[in-house]
Amino acid sequence: MSLTPKQRIELHGFNNLTKTLSFNMYDICYTRTKEEREKYIEYIDEQYNAERLTNILTKVSEIIEANILNIAQQDYEPQGASVTILVSEGPVDQTPIESFKQSPGPIPETVLGHLDKSHITVHTYPEYHPDEGISTFRADIDISTCGEISPLKALNYLIHSFETDVMVMDYRVRGFTRDVKGHKLFIDHDINSIQNYIPDALQEFYHMIDVNVYQENIFHTKCKLKQFDLNNYLFGYNEDELSEEEKILITKKLKTEMDEIFYAKNMTRSD
């Protein structure tokens, strides 16, 4: 169905298909003590505060060529932040054909926003295991658009905006629009996998799984980082300060945490 705006069947009224991308990223860290856990939370809250999240979502709006109508942002106590943006669609005639192809979106050079009938939101969730020294940071981003604009072109930029060990992505097209003869259109662009919107060079770093329901226009992709360097998961020190036994134990806990998130189930833990 590779239709561009100018090739598209003439519609009866407004294109009211709703396209929603949900992007969840997870950053895993090992914190040995309560003090380290608290410092990690402080670091995350500073690194991903409402102001920075607003800047990220503003870039997302630019990538999907949406006009920002309103922004609401909030840093929470004791931790976490949220941003919401309302947006409106830009002129369809000016939308480049590339925007409708299954290919990764751009990365600009360089929080809640409101669109007209569309919105972009982000919420952060720093937390830690009560016993095992695992700290996990999760950010949930939802981009919901109505009309021609698609949130998928923002995915490449979002992945590069966060440090991600595990990513979970959902894309769904809801509702329908009609042509002038009343014929319903339940999707207005080609797609067979979210992976088509992630650059090949980036895909090489991740194990990836698709679970798609094509007849319902539902697409789901999960990614887990392939390479494991213990130093990247220690907060405030490096593995040279650990015994071999500690390295093995911490590595097992970190990998179990990532596997549980990736496969969405609890696994047996053994020391």
Side-chain angles (χ1 to χ4, degrees):
M1 184 197 310
S2 304
L3 299 178
T4 69
K6 295 186 181 298
Q7 297 170 329
R8 197 170 305 280
I9 296 173
E10 187 178 356
L11 298 182
H12 172 69
F14 179 71
N15 182 338
N16 55 10
L17 286 169
T18 298
K19 304 163 188 173
T20 302
L21 172 67
S22 294
F23 172 77
N24 309 102
M25 62 75 59
Y26 297 84
D27 176 68
I28 317 299
C29 184
Y30 188 81
T31 48
R32 293 177 295 186
T33 65
K34 179 181 178 181
E35 181 181 13
E36 287 181 2
R37 288 193 292 269
E38 291 174 348
K39 287 183 178 179
Y40 174 75
I41 297 286
E42 290 177 5
Y43 165 77
I44 289 297
D45 277 345
E46 177 62 29
Q47 186 75 3
Y48 297 105
N49 58 34
E51 182 177 358
R52 185 186 177 199
L53 293 174
T54 298
N55 292 335
I56 291 174
L57 296 195
T58 298
K59 289 295 184 183
V60 167
S61 299
E62 294 177 7
I63 291 171
I64 65 174
E65 299 183 356
N67 303 310
I68 294 178
L69 303 177
N70 184 52
I71 297 177
Q73 63 182 54
Q74 181 66 52
D75 287 304
Y76 296 109
E77 293 294 341
Q79 61 210 39
S82 294
V83 176
T84 302
I85 298 176
L86 292 180
V87 297
S88 62
E89 183 180 9
V92 174
D93 289 343
Q94 298 177 14
T95 303
I97 292 177
E98 180 65 25
S99 295
F100 295 86
K101 294 181 179 179
Q102 290 190 79
S103 60
I107 301 177
E109 292 179 350
T110 359
V111 176
L112 169 66
H114 292 247
L115 307 180
D116 182 13
K117 298 182 181 178
S118 302
H119 64 272
I120 307 172
T121 66
V122 58
H123 305 283
T124 65
Y125 303 91
E127 63 91 43
Y128 54 84
H129 191 285
D131 303 315
E132 297 194 7
I134 297 291
S135 293
T136 304
F137 166 61
R138 179 177 114 235
D140 294 349
I141 297 177
D142 289 284
I143 308 172
S144 183
T145 65
C146 190
E148 299 286 351
I149 57 178
S150 172
L152 286 167
K153 287 298 182 178
L155 186 56
N156 187 23
Y157 172 70
L158 287 174
I159 294 172
H160 283 84
S161 297
F162 295 88
E163 298 176 1
T164 55
D165 296 309
V166 179
M167 298 182 290
V168 180
M169 294 158 283
D170 295 281
Y171 179 68
R172 182 172 184 178
V173 181
R174 294 181 174 88
F176 63 87
T177 191
R178 294 181 186 270
D179 64 17
V180 291
K181 295 183 179 180
H183 180 72
K184 297 183 182 70
L185 300 175
F186 293 92
I187 192 168
D188 63 352
H189 64 94
D190 292 323
I191 176 174
N192 54 44
S193 174
I194 294 174
Q195 294 189 37
N196 295 333
Y197 294 85
I198 303 174
D200 292 340
L202 190 58
Q203 289 191 36
E204 293 179 1
F205 290 98
Y206 290 93
H207 297 289
M208 309 183 83
I209 295 176
D210 271 6
V211 182
N212 301 322
V213 186
Y214 298 105
Q215 66 271 25
E216 299 295 337
N217 297 321
I218 298 173
F219 305 88
H220 177 78
T221 298
K222 297 191 290 188
C223 311
K224 184 181 68 168
L225 205 60
K226 290 180 181 178
Q227 296 183 340
F228 183 89
D229 182 347
L230 183 56
N231 281 322
N232 292 334
Y233 298 91
L234 302 176
F235 190 72
Y237 58 100
N238 59 59
E239 62 178 298
D240 293 338
E241 302 174 46
L242 301 172
S243 66
E244 288 303 315
E245 183 178 355
E246 287 175 318
K247 292 178 187 178
I248 294 172
L249 178 60
I250 293 172
T251 296
K252 182 181 295 185
K253 289 182 176 180
L254 287 166
K255 288 187 174 182
T256 298
E257 179 78 0
M258 286 184 276
D259 285 343
E260 288 184 341
I261 295 171
F262 185 64
Y263 294 108
K265 64 179 182 180
N266 289 299
M267 299 180 176
T268 302
R269 297 180 180 230
S270 59
D271 294 341

